[in-house]
Amino acid sequence: MREVYLDYAATTPVLPEVLEAMLPYFKDAYGNAQSLHNWGDKAREAVEEGRGKVADLIGGEPEEIIFTASGTESNNFAIKGLAMAQQAKGKHIVVSAIEHFSVLHSAKTLEKWGFELTEVPVDKYGLVDPDKVVQSLRKDTILVSIMHANNEVGTIQPIKEIARVVKKTGALFHTDAVATAGVIPVDVKELGVDALSLAANQFYGPKGVGALWLKKGARIIPFLDGGVQEWGKRAGTENVPAIVGLGKAAELAKADMKSRIQRFSALRDKLIAGLPSRIEHVTVTGHHTRRLPGNASFCVEFIEGEAMLMLLNHQGIAVSSGSACTSRALKASHVLIAMGIPHEVAQGSLLFSFGLANTEEDVEYVLEAMPPIVDRLRQMSPLYAKFLKGQKGGRK
Amino acid sequence: MPVYSEKVMEHFMNPRNVGEIENADGVGEVGNPVCGDMMTFYIKVDNNHISDVKYKTFGCGAAIAVSSMVSEMAKGKTLEEAKKITPALVAKELEGLPKNKYHCSNLGAQALNKAIDNYLKKQSKTAKSQKGGKK
C-alpha cells in the first residue's frame, strides 16, 4: 500500500544530516557542557555552535537564545516568565483567541494568579486585526502574545504591524513562531518583537528541543530553577545532541528555505484547488494568500473528522483533524470556532500538511482517495440526509 | 489511530444495517453535531418484535461502530428485550471503548430506546383514537 505522510504540522522527521551531526554527542563527546575539562569543552563548543546557527536562522544574537525542551516550554516560559517579571508595571496581558494551547493555557494560568487577560478575536480567515489589538491595550498592559502563524489553518499574522503598535505602549511583545521558524523567513529585528518561540521538530530537527529568543535587556523570571545553564535563565544539563540537531536543522532550513517554500506551496495549491472541485460542500479554512506553504486545511460538511482520518489512514494517508472526537477534551478546535465556523462544520475539519517527502503523485493519490471516503460517510450521515431533504423541499 | 478494539474497527470498516426505513414504525434521534455525535435510529416492529432496524450516524469511529453494534443486537428482539440494551452491554459486545469515547456508546442504546418509545407512543395514540371511535 502507498504510504503518504501529510502531517508535517504535527512533526517532521529528522533529516539524515541532522541525525549524523547529533550521533557523536550521545556516545563519544558525551561530556557535560558545564564541566571544566576536555569533555566539557567539546560539549560546550557544540552547544555554542548550535546557538549561533539558531540565532542566524532568525536574525538574532547568540546570547539572546535560550534553549528549552520544546515549543511548549518556550511559550510557557515566555508568557509566565515575562509577565511575572513585569508585574510591578501592570497585570494585564493580551493574546489572540487562536493561540496554541501552550500560550492560551499559560495565559489562563496567569489569570488564576491574579493577572487580567484579554483575548483578541480573529476574522473568518483567522487573521488578527492590528486595530483590534490596539483597542485591547491598556495602561497596565505588560505583555502581548500573538502567534506568527497558526498551526491548524496556516494563517500568517501581520506581526510587524502588531508589534509596531504594541511597542508604542511599552508592553513587551512575544510571538509563538513554532509554525514559522525554519519554515518561512523569520527575522526578529524585522518583526520588531521582544521574544520569540521556536521548536526543532517543525523543521526536520529532533523532538524535545526548542528555543526562546529573548531580546537583550528584556527581563524574565526563570522557569526552571537550578544551575547556571543558559545564564541561569533555564537550569538543567544541556541536551547537547538535541541542541546540535536543532542547530544543524536550522542551518539546513535557512539554506534550503526558498526551494522548500516553492515545492510545498505548489503541492498545497494543487490540493486546495483540487479537493473542493472534486467534492461538494468542502471549504478551505484559513487565508488564501497569507498562508503557510505546507498547509492545506479544509472543512468537509456533514461528516466528522476522526472517521475521515481513520478511513484515510486505512489507505495509508496520515492527516490531522480539529474535530471534537479527535481531541482528548472532546471539544472542536478553538481555532475554527474563533473563526466563526459553526460547530457542526468544524467537526469535519481536516488538515493536510506537506513536507520534504511529498510529491505531486501524493496529492493525486489523496484526490482519488477522498471522494469515496466522503461519499461513504455522507451516505450514513443524518445531517447529509436532512440537507438533501431540505434541498428537495426548497426546489418544490 | 485512536485505541480501538478489533471489534470496533471491524464494525467501523463494515457497518451493518446502515440506512433509513421509509414509513418506519419508530424513529429516535439523539445527540447533536455540536458535541460531535448524532444518531437517528429507525425500527420496524412486527408482532412486538423488532423486525428491521436501520440508522444514520454522524460521528467518530466509535459512534459508527456503536450504531452498527446496537442495530445487530436489537434485530429480532422483542421490544422489552431491546429496551434492556444498555451502553455498558454495547461497550462489552464491542470489546471495550476508549474511556473518553464512552458517551458515544451511550448514544446508540439511547437512540434505539427513543425509537421504541416513539413506536409505543404512536401505538397508544392509535389505540386511544380507536377506542374513541367506538364510543
Side-chain angles (χ1 to χ4, degrees), chain B residues 8 24-27 35 44 59 64 69 73 78 81 85-86 94 108 111 125 132:
Chain B
V8 170
D25 294 324
V27 182
C35 74
K44 261 288 188 218
I64 290 170
M69 179 53 84
M73 289 167 78
T78 65
E81 284 167 346
I85 298 173
T86 61
L94 283 169
K125 258 190 199 163

Side-chain angles (χ1 to χ4, degrees), chain A residues 15-60:
Chain A
L15 280 176
E17 299 97 307
V18 173
L19 180 63
E20 270 314 297
M22 290 171 70
L23 286 175
Y25 297 94
F26 286 105
K27 206 164 160 262
D28 302 323
Y30 54 79
N32 183 320
Q34 297 298 323
S35 299
L36 300 175
H37 41 60
N38 286 348
W39 283 264
D41 289 346
K42 257 194 194 167
R44 195 159 49 250
E45 277 162 26
V47 166
E48 294 317 314
E49 197 185 321
R51 200 186 303 283
K53 285 175 180 169
V54 174
D56 196 38
L57 176 70
I58 57 171

Side-chain angles (χ1 to χ4, degrees), chain A residues 297-313:
Chain A
S297 58
F298 305 91
C299 281
V300 184
E301 283 189 66
F302 314 118
I303 54 179
E304 191 276 328
E306 189 207 85
M308 277 188 279
L309 192 150
M310 285 169 69
L311 291 173
L312 282 166
N313 187 60

Side-chain angles (χ1 to χ4, degrees), chain A residues 75 79 95 99-108 145 174 176:
Chain A
N75 284 336
I79 302 299
V95 302
E99 294 300 309
H100 186 264
F101 281 146
S102 52
V103 167
L104 217 48
H105 291 176
S106 291
K108 293 206 163 141
S145 180
H174 164 260
D176 167 7

Side-chain angles (χ1 to χ4, degrees), chain A residues 330-384:
Chain A
L330 297 175
K331 273 187 185 164
S333 154
H334 68 290
V335 176
L336 299 175
I337 300 304
M339 286 161 63
I341 294 171
H343 274 87
E344 64 268 30
V345 178
Q347 299 295 6
S349 109
L350 273 191
L351 166 58
F352 301 83
S353 46
F354 293 97
L356 285 174
N358 295 136
T359 60
E360 275 201 35
E361 287 74 46
D362 291 342
V363 180
E364 274 148 28
Y365 184 61
V366 170
L367 288 174
E368 265 169 44
M370 274 294 285
I373 288 174
V374 171
D375 194 46
R376 174 178 173 166
L377 292 171
R378 278 185 180 163
Q379 285 312 315
M380 56 192 301
S381 162
L383 291 180
Y384 191 55

